[in-house]
């Protein structure tokens, strides 16, 4: 009997213990979930403005809670600090709105999180998405086109750069507001140019000139050039020749259906690339621009391609070791007039947020587009100002004096003739297509396939992916 | 609480009557009920564990079985029923799937034997309980505290083709630089080197524990009988270590098949898919391209492969394991 009673007590104790543990575990998991997934969403925001009004009956002095706007971005390091500064400025000057910036990892990572959050009500008010995510964001039907706010507000678009608007205008309207824009330029080592007997003020402009210069520059362990196997460069080199990347007017006259990767333009680029490697004047460092940048800064390669946004880092990294020159993206001799495509990212307002919050988000986006903020952003990030008036700001003028190399980037942007080729291709599966192109570039460079074969295989693959995508959005 | 009390009093009543002719059957019955309740308590203790496994293992597993029969739209939502299409296209894609499988198997072959053998040699050399050995033991087990992410970040610096240390040393030896991660012939080897180093700490600690577990008498008699280091290692220590080695083998093979972190950071599956192991492909398919259907199908194929391999190892190799 004694035994039984003791045993019974144990049962109850055990049961209680187990329950407590299960409960604690559940709580822990729940907490972790909120922290990781939906960090900055404020519960008070989820009530609509009407609810808020009824909950707080019109007293003599309604205590206005600031509207909270959550912004998911992908700017890390110095860029992240610049973002925090912009947000702080805004919050100080707008007591009725509280913007909270949350870093969400790289563009790819952030977009993945966005896809998971879409329609769940736990997403942000504003999200920064890279340019090649545009078609997907529009087709997802989870955003409020920025054009709606522009029309309501009679916001004057003519103060923005035409080339930048060109990229982000689809079916005659803006779905997102451009924020950070860049394009690729060629960086070259002026000191090595001088030593090789080349004119440091006359950088090579064509594929052929690049090869000739690289041959002279390659000696004493230095390579003439190193370009990262980056799909973005392929897209840009199509535009530099004035050629379209996908059909239906580069996907701008209708949903793209076919990749044009294996056209002459692509074969020309890869034949040139492979020739540079075979002639042992170009170093293949793989897909990462971080690696080519490192080699360039270390003076091991004389020419490289990189984003304009890398300028500051390169000039600072080089210090006084040598003189950094910048040049337009090269193109094949006799190529049609082309230019560069605007890269970077834009800001979307999500349509599952309450209207008051979306309006507040628009107020913040407008603030970001103002000349003062764009000047600050340009100087601290190396991205172009999207607002033309920003060039008149002293901050930008001083910066141009300090980094005269940036003028090349601005000129390259302004000299680009706007057409479907230079507006840039549009397709829903762009991120994946870029991976496939990079795979093909690797195959060519490593001699596994001829340029034509590798590009044709990639073109077939991309066309199939586009087909699958189109089926799900029609 | 009420019900517990009434249960208690009812039970007290029962035991008060426990006498006479019915005693035998009563004891039997109460034994049975004790057993039943014993089981109940046991399950109660298991409940948190089941809840955990349920939420984080069984539910996702069931969900991926479900998803493997569906097609998802670009947002990852289920769009249509696909039947066996996901599996069919997986095997129809032939070359691509085989390349992934080949990379995975090669990676396992490069990392598992090397990782175990090196750790074993180091453990045999340093298992003695001498103060000087402590320093080695510390150094050799150090990689265990380094995560795949940190380890890969360190090695990406070593591997850098023009500014990395490995090529610097090759240069000192007047050898041509190797493009560790950019050359499709080298990339998998490079990632394997890094992985062997990273797994060394765990393998070493487990084997050191195994060697420590062998009775001192055996070491003493080895000393007295005086066989050389090779004979004592191969004739005595390794057979006695075989349960530990068997455990390491199973765990390492599973680990190698599930490798993700270092691939993601070092090569992202490239160049030319030479390091595109199965888990990485699944990740790309499901979480980059948002095709959860075919991603799930591949995950289940991987599950079947690992299960088959583990069963095979138990079937063939366990017979050779010497349990004391």
């Amino acid at each position: 009997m004694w035994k039984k009673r003791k045993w019974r007590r144990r049962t109850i104790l055990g049961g209680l213990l187990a329950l407590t543990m299960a409960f604690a575990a559940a709580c822990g998991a729940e907490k972790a979930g909120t922290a990781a997934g939906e960090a900055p969403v404020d519960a008070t925001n989820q009530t609509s403005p009407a609810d808020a009004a009824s909950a707080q009956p019109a007293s003599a002095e309604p205590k206005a809670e600031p509207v909270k706007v959550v912004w998911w971005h992908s700017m890390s390091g110095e860029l992240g600090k610049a973002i925090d500064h912009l947000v702080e400025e805004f919050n100080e000057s707008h007591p009725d709105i509280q913007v909270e910036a949350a870093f969400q990892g790289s563009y790819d990572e952030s977009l993945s999180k966005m896809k998971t959050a879409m329609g769940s009500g736990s997403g942000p008010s504003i999200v920064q998405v890279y340019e090649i995510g545009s078609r997907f964001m529009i087709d997802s039907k989870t955003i409020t086109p920025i054009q709606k706010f522009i029309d309501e507000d009679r916001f004057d678009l003519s103060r923005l750069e035409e080339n930048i608007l060109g990229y982000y205008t689809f079916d005659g309207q803006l779905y997102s507001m451009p924020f950070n824009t860049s394009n690729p330029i060629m960086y070259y080592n002026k000191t090595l140019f001088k030593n090789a007997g080349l004119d440091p003020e006359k950088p090579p402009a064509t594929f052929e000139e690049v090869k000739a210069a690289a041959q002279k520059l390659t000696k004493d362990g230095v390579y003439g050039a190193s370009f990262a196997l980056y799909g973005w460069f392929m897209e840009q080199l199509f535009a530099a020749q004035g050629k379209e990347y996908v059909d239906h007017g580069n996907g701008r006259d209708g949903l793209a259906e076919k990749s044009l990767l294996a056209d002459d333009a692509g074969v020309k680029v890869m034949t040139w690339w492979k020739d540079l490697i075979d002639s042992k004047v170009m170093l293949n460092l793989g897909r990462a621009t971080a690696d080519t940048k490192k080699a360039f800064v270390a003076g091991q390669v004389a020419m490289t391609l990189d984003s304009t946004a890398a300028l500051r880092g390169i000039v600072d990294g080089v210090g006084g070791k040598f003189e950094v020159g910048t040049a337009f993206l090269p193109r094949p001799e006799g190529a049609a007039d082309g230019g560069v495509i605007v890269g970077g990212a834009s800001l979307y307002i999500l349509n599952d947020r309450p209207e008051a919050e979306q309006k507040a988000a628009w107020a913040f986006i407008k603030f970001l587009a103002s000349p003062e903020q764009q000047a600050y952003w340009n100087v601290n990030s190396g991205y172009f100002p999207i607002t033309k008036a920003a060039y008149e700001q002293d901050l930008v003028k001083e910066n141009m004096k300090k980094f005269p190399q940036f003028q090349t980037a601005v000129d390259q942007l302004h000299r680009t003739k706007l057409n479907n080729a230079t507006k840039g291709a549009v397709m829903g599966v762009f991120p994946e297509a870029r991976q496939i192109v990079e795979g093909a570039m690797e195959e060519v460079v490593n001699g596994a396939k001829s340029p034509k074969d590798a590009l044709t295989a990639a073109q077939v693959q991309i066309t199939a992916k586009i087909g699958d995508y189109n089926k799900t959005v029609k | 609480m009420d019900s517990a009390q009434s249960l208690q009093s009812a039970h007290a009543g029962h035991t008060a009557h426990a006498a006479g002719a019915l005693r035998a059957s009563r004891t039997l019955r109460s034994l049975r009920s004790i057993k039943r309740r014993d089981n109940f308590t046991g399950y109660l203790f298991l409940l948190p564990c089941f809840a955990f496994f349920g939420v984080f293992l069984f539910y996702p597993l069931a969900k991926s079985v479900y998803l493997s029969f569906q097609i998802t739209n670009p947002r990852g939502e289920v769009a249509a029923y696909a039947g066996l299409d996901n599996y069919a296209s997986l095997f129809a894609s032939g070359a691509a799937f085989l390349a992934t499988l080949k990379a995975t198997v090669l990676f396992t072959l490069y990392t598992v034997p090397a990782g175990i053998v090196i750790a074993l040699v180091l453990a045999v050399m340093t298992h003695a309980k001498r103060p000087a050995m402590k320093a080695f033991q510390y150094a050799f087990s150090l990689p265990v505290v380094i995560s795949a992410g940190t380890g890969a970040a360190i090695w990406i610096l070593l591997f850098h083709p023009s500014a990395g240390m490995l090529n610097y040393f090759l240069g000192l030896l007047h050898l041509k630089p190797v493009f560790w991660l950019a050359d499709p012939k080298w990339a998998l080897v490079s990632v394997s080197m890094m992985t062997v180093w990273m797994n060394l700490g765990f393998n070493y600690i487990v084997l050191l524990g195994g060697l420590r577990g062998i009775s001192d008498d055996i070491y003493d008699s080895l000393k007295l009988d005086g066989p050389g280091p090779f004979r004592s290692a191969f004739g005595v220590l390794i057979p006695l270590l075989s349960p530990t080695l068997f455990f390491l083998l199973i765990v390492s093979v599973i680990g190698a098949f599930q490798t993700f972190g270092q691939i993601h950071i070092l090569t992202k599956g490239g160049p030319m898919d030479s390091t595109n192991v199965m888990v990485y492909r699944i990740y790309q398919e499901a979480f980059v391209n948002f095709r959860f259907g075919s991603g799930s199908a591949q995950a289940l194929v991987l599950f079947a492969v690992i299960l088959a391999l583990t069963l095979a190892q138990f079937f063939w190799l366990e017979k050779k394991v010497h349990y004391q």
Side-chain angles (χ1 to χ4, degrees):
Chain A
M1 189 165 159
W2 174 83
K3 263 189 181 162
K4 267 188 187 165
R5 191 160 284 162
K6 184 170 180 195
W7 184 86
R8 215 171 293 131
R9 203 173 297 142
R10 258 190 286 160
T11 321
I12 295 166
L13 265 178
L16 279 175
L17 186 66
L19 278 176
T20 328
M21 275 164 66
F23 183 68
C27 283
E30 199 174 302
K31 242 181 232 161
T34 6
E38 41 182 290
V41 180
D42 191 336
T44 53
N45 278 339
Q46 303 196 341
T47 52
S48 71
D51 286 348
S54 61
Q56 272 185 348
S59 58
E61 251 181 69
K63 220 172 126 197
E65 280 273 312
V67 183
K68 194 150 137 193
V69 170
V70 175
W71 178 21
W72 282 9
H73 68 82
S74 301
M75 306 274 96
S76 57
E78 294 298 314
L79 302 182
K81 277 184 208 151
I83 292 251
D84 290 340
H85 174 88
L86 291 173
V87 168
E88 231 167 80
E89 289 253 305
F90 178 81
N91 286 342
E92 270 166 29
S93 54
H94 295 72
D96 52 330
I97 303 173
Q98 190 68 29
V99 177
E100 207 173 89
F103 174 65
Q104 296 292 342
S106 68
Y107 289 134
D108 283 315
E109 287 162 358
S110 174
L111 187 60
S112 289
K113 287 183 193 169
M114 194 61 240
K115 285 180 180 176
T116 325
M118 274 174 177
S120 72
S122 60
S125 347
I126 307 175
V127 64
Q128 181 193 23
V129 176
Y130 53 10
E131 84 282 25
I132 57 173
S134 304
R135 187 75 246 170
F136 167 77
M137 286 305 285
I138 296 167
D139 290 337
S140 77
K141 302 194 174 67
T142 57
I143 54 156
T144 307
I146 278 289
Q147 192 71 42
K148 181 180 159 241
F149 301 99
I150 291 173
D151 295 343
E152 281 173 8
D153 218 12
R154 296 182 193 199
F155 181 80
D156 179 15
L157 276 181
S158 68
R159 63 178 98 155
L160 301 188
E161 286 274 2
E162 285 85 9
N163 288 32
I164 297 176
L165 286 178
Y167 187 97
Y168 290 103
T169 305
F170 302 96
D171 325 316
Q173 64 167 329
L174 272 187
Y175 287 86
S176 60
M177 188 63 128
F179 172 59
N180 54 320
T181 53
S182 60
N183 58 42
I185 44 177
M186 191 167 78
Y187 292 86
Y188 66 98
N189 185 326
K190 285 192 177 178
T191 313
L192 285 176
F193 264 60
K194 252 179 257 170
N195 295 346
L198 292 160
D199 182 358
E201 300 312 318
K202 211 177 150 285
T206 65
F207 283 10
E208 293 73 13
E209 284 171 24
V210 167
K211 191 189 171 190
Q215 277 168 330
K216 283 191 183 159
L217 288 159
T218 305
K219 57 180 177 187
D220 313 327
V222 171
Y223 278 85
S226 180
F227 305 155
L229 300 174
Y230 186 13
W232 189 45
F233 295 150
M234 189 57 139
E235 296 148 28
Q236 294 287 355
L237 290 168
F238 264 75
Q241 305 175 51
K243 291 291 185 319
E244 291 172 7
Y245 208 53
V246 290
D247 65 351
H248 294 292
N250 234 357
R252 286 178 181 273
D253 301 334
L255 276 185
E257 286 176 349
K258 186 173 181 279
S259 158
L260 304 176
L261 187 66
D263 279 10
D264 266 0
V267 176
K268 253 185 210 163
V269 170
M270 282 328 290
T271 309
W272 166 64
W273 204 302
K274 176 83 169 108
D275 178 40
L276 286 173
I277 294 216
D278 287 347
S279 331
K280 300 211 178 335
V281 296
M282 172 137 94
L283 186 62
N284 170 28
L285 294 176
R287 291 189 188 192
T289 48
D291 287 341
T292 53
K293 185 159 79 179
K294 206 173 194 173
F296 178 77
V297 168
Q300 290 159 335
V301 298
M303 293 181 278
T304 191
L305 301 181
D306 213 319
S307 159
T308 47
L311 176 71
R312 237 180 118 101
I314 287 180
V315 173
D316 286 348
V318 167
K321 277 180 288 179
F322 58 84
E323 227 183 309
V324 179
T326 49
F328 284 14
L329 213 57
R331 66 184 68 178
E333 211 157 286
D337 254 9
V340 281
I341 308 168
V342 167
S346 64
L347 305 178
Y348 291 86
I349 294 180
L350 281 306
N351 66 9
D352 62 345
R353 310 306 302 170
E355 210 178 310
E357 194 180 316
Q358 294 188 32
K359 284 227 167 84
W362 164 244
F364 176 61
I365 287 176
K366 240 180 2 181
F367 168 85
L368 288 178
S370 68
E372 294 80 21
Q373 308 311 324
Q374 280 298 312
Y376 176 85
W377 175 240
N378 162 248
V379 168
N380 286 282
S381 69
Y383 287 109
F384 292 111
I386 59 164
T387 314
K388 283 181 274 189
Y391 290 104
E392 307 304 321
Q393 298 279 320
D394 289 340
L395 201 59
V396 174
K397 283 183 185 161
E398 268 169 45
N399 193 57
M400 273 304 189
K401 258 183 235 154
K402 219 165 110 197
F403 299 102
Q405 296 99 331
F406 197 76
Q407 192 59 47
T408 315
V410 178
D411 291 346
Q412 187 176 233
L413 179 72
H414 288 161
R415 225 171 287 169
T416 294
K417 261 209 310 207
L418 207 55
N419 54 34
N420 279 346
T422 57
K423 275 181 183 170
V426 195
M427 51 179 151
V429 292
F430 216 140
E432 202 180 349
R434 197 176 261 183
Q435 289 172 29
I436 296 172
V437 172
E438 286 169 3
M441 292 167 83
E442 281 172 351
E443 286 174 341
V444 173
V445 165
N446 289 300
K449 281 183 188 168
S450 74
K452 182 78 190 170
D453 290 350
L455 294 176
T456 307
Q459 172 175 315
V460 170
Q461 234 181 318
I462 295 169
T463 303
K465 305 268 177 201
I466 295 176
D468 287 345
Y469 176 89
N470 289 351
K471 261 184 252 163
T472 63
V473 295
K474 258 173 196 167
Chain B
M1 201 62 208
D2 264 1
S3 66
Q5 252 162 4
S6 68
L7 229 162
Q8 204 168 339
S9 61
H11 225 80
H14 270 293
T15 37
H17 282 289
L22 286 173
R23 179 177 277 181
S25 77
R26 214 122 302 146
T27 325
L28 204 73
R29 199 189 300 163
S30 57
L31 261 177
R32 209 177 287 146
S33 77
I34 285 177
K35 202 169 178 194
R36 206 181 306 135
R37 262 187 279 160
D38 240 345
N39 281 345
F40 177 70
T41 328
Y43 286 122
L44 215 56
F45 274 112
L46 281 177
L47 192 70
C49 174
F50 270 118
F52 244 74
F53 277 160
V55 172
F56 294 109
L57 260 164
F58 302 135
Y59 170 71
L61 186 62
K63 184 98 192 201
S64 60
V65 171
Y66 162 75
L67 282 173
S68 73
F69 297 112
Q70 313 289 334
I71 293 176
T72 54
N73 69 10
R75 274 173 61 186
E77 297 162 331
V78 170
Y81 177 72
L84 287 170
D85 285 2
N86 287 326
Y87 293 95
S89 65
L90 193 58
F91 292 108
S93 74
F97 183 66
L98 278 182
T100 320
L101 204 59
K102 188 180 147 205
T104 314
V105 170
L106 277 180
F107 179 76
T108 310
L109 288 178
Y110 291 165
T111 57
V112 174
I116 294 179
V117 168
I118 295 174
L120 182 63
V121 170
L122 293 177
V124 168
M125 275 167 29
T126 60
H127 76 279
K129 283 180 186 150
R130 260 176 274 145
M133 290 300 165
K134 275 261 185 270
F136 288 110
Q137 287 164 6
Y138 173 74
F140 294 150
S141 32
L142 204 54
V144 82
V145 300
I146 294 175
S147 67
T150 321
I154 296 171
W155 279 77
I156 212 165
L157 297 175
L158 301 180
F159 281 138
H160 192 278
S162 59
M165 226 197 306
L166 296 181
N167 277 349
Y168 171 75
F169 286 131
L170 287 184
L172 291 186
L173 298 171
H174 298 287
L175 292 172
K176 272 193 175 173
V178 171
F179 296 98
W180 300 100
L181 299 174
D183 185 339
K185 288 195 285 293
W186 275 97
L188 193 64
V189 177
S190 308
V191 176
S192 302
M193 275 164 54
M194 181 267 161
T195 308
V196 167
W197 168 81
M198 200 178 68
N199 292 343
L200 194 65
F202 176 76
N203 293 356
Y204 176 77
I205 288 178
V206 170
L207 288 170
L208 196 67
L211 285 170
R212 288 274 171 84
I214 296 172
S215 138
D216 281 343
D217 299 347
I218 289 174
Y219 291 114
D220 285 343
S221 52
L222 278 179
K223 237 180 253 169
L224 281 179
D225 291 343
F230 272 97
R231 274 212 63 190
S232 54
F234 284 98
V236 182
L237 294 182
I238 290 180
L240 286 176
L241 264 183
S242 57
T244 314
L245 288 171
F246 183 61
F247 162 77
L248 263 189
L249 182 70
I250 301 260
V251 171
S252 306
V253 168
I254 295 178
F257 267 79
Q258 296 183 340
T259 299
F260 172 78
Q262 56 268 52
I263 303 272
H264 186 50
I265 294 173
L266 291 175
T267 62
K268 297 210 188 305
M272 285 166 62
D273 283 344
S274 59
T275 59
N276 201 355
V277 293
M278 286 181 86
V279 174
Y280 197 72
R281 197 178 132 118
I282 293 169
Y283 160 78
Q284 281 184 322
E285 198 64 5
F287 301 107
V288 177
N289 304 329
F290 271 69
R291 275 193 288 273
F292 289 117
S294 65
S296 298
Q298 289 181 43
L300 291 173
V301 170
L302 175 65
F303 174 70
V305 169
I306 292 182
L307 188 68
L309 264 179
T310 309
L311 288 179
Q313 290 178 75
F314 266 102
F315 187 75
W316 299 110
L317 284 176
E318 213 196 2
K319 285 179 203 148
K320 302 213 166 103
V321 173
H322 175 87
Y323 291 105
Q324 262 190 313

